[in-house]
Amino acid sequence: MIYTVTLKPSIDYIVRLDSLVPGITNRTTAEEYYYGGKGINVSCVLAELDLESTAFGFVAGFTGDAIEKGIRNDRIITDFIKLESGISRINIKIKAGVETEINCQGPHISEGELERLFSKIDRISDGDTIVIAGNIPNTMPDDVYERILERIKGKDVRIVVDATKKLLLNALKYKPFLIKPNRQELSEMFGVEINTEDDIEKYAKELQKLGAKNVLISLGGDGAMLIDEFGKRHKAGVLKEKVINTVGSGDSMVAGFVAGYEKTKSYPYALKLGSVCGNATAFLDGLATKEKINELLAKFN
């Protein structure tokens, strides 16, 4: 079983305007909403790839009910903890020539509610995969990822971590199967400027020395690079279509990589499928769909 962890799910409410003028009433030209959170995004794309997953996390209030109901299907088992107070976040994305985002804090999560999550984590067993993605809410202790991974220490579990800076570095001692920094995050972690592919490989291998098995670096418009557990460099480009939406592209890449490796145990194919899924999301209003993934797979070299 693949498990995803989203500590602070959200509803992303997208409003489109011709222009945004402060201090007056603005009228939208269109609105959309999506169920968000990095782990949830991974589960949704895995479902498009015909893989089942269980989604862990915290939800609250009427928005939490909507998130749980909205993502549940025959390939996503929702196993969220319902908080006693507050509501799950509504994040506002204003698209008016330039994009402005307002991301909310979300509900308070108590130590007791966190222990309930740990009890669910304890069910993860040998052969399973866990994907931990996103930032930690400011209402939670900053070592929560380490505490989650400590619960599965000693089990034969494939660990995937998609987090930034200290969160990622602190997880490396648990020897994750896959981590996915982008080029800027890689640069910030080591306090250096990274300009070339050799630079990327050099510092990805430093992360491997610290415990990571496979390092997948997303490079935006330049594609992605994988340094696999054997030290081999793999590169994937991007397809040329109009980019509509970059939100969730990195999560889609993680889902595609996990699915590709799960199905074939091939790192080149895992990178290819991950790249295709990331591209598919970028070319759509929402997350990658099965139809778009299959279309792009036929084009991707």
Side-chain angles (χ1 to χ4, degrees), residues 159-213:
I159 297 168
V160 178
V161 179
D162 184 9
T164 58
K165 295 182 184 177
K166 185 179 176 182
L167 291 177
L168 179 58
L169 290 170
N170 288 346
L172 295 181
K173 59 180 171 284
Y174 297 99
K175 303 190 183 309
F177 168 75
L178 178 71
I179 60 173
K180 193 200 70 63
N182 59 36
R183 177 163 34 199
Q184 181 180 347
E185 290 163 351
L186 192 63
S187 174
E188 289 172 352
M189 277 188 279
F190 291 98
V192 297
E193 190 171 326
I194 292 178
N195 297 310
T196 68
E197 291 188 0
D198 287 343
D199 290 339
I200 294 167
E201 180 175 355
K202 174 183 175 181
Y203 288 102
K205 287 184 173 178
E206 289 300 314
L207 293 175
Q208 289 179 320
K209 291 176 184 177
L210 293 172
K213 291 184 179 178

Side-chain angles (χ1 to χ4, degrees), residues 48-50 241 276 280 284 287-299:
E48 295 295 319
L49 295 166
D50 297 321
E241 284 192 29
V276 163
L284 296 171
L287 293 172
T289 62
K290 181 185 295 188
E291 292 74 23
K292 192 66 176 178
I293 292 167
N294 289 336
E295 174 196 330
L296 297 185
L297 266 176
K299 300 176 182 179

Side-chain angles (χ1 to χ4, degrees), residues 1-5 39-47 49-56 75-79 121 123-132 157-160 177 251 254-263 265:
M1 173 61 73
I2 300 170
Y3 295 88
T4 63
V5 179
I40 285 175
N41 292 343
V42 171
S43 281
C44 289
V45 177
L46 286 173
L49 295 166
D50 297 321
L51 281 180
E52 184 176 282
S53 67
T54 297
F56 288 154
R75 296 198 179 278
I76 301 177
I77 301 166
T78 56
D79 195 4
I121 297 295
R123 303 201 316 250
I124 297 174
S125 57
D126 290 350
D128 289 335
T129 297
I130 182 171
V131 180
I132 303 176
V157 174
R158 199 174 290 148
I159 297 168
V160 178
F177 168 75
D251 310 324
V254 169
F257 188 96
V258 169
Y261 189 80
E262 184 85 12
K263 293 177 179 180
K265 301 298 185 289

Side-chain angles (χ1 to χ4, degrees), residues 232-245:
K232 186 174 181 181
R233 180 201 292 186
H234 308 265
K235 185 79 179 356
V238 294
L239 292 164
K240 300 302 180 184
E241 284 192 29
K242 181 181 178 181
V243 174
I244 297 173
N245 162 53

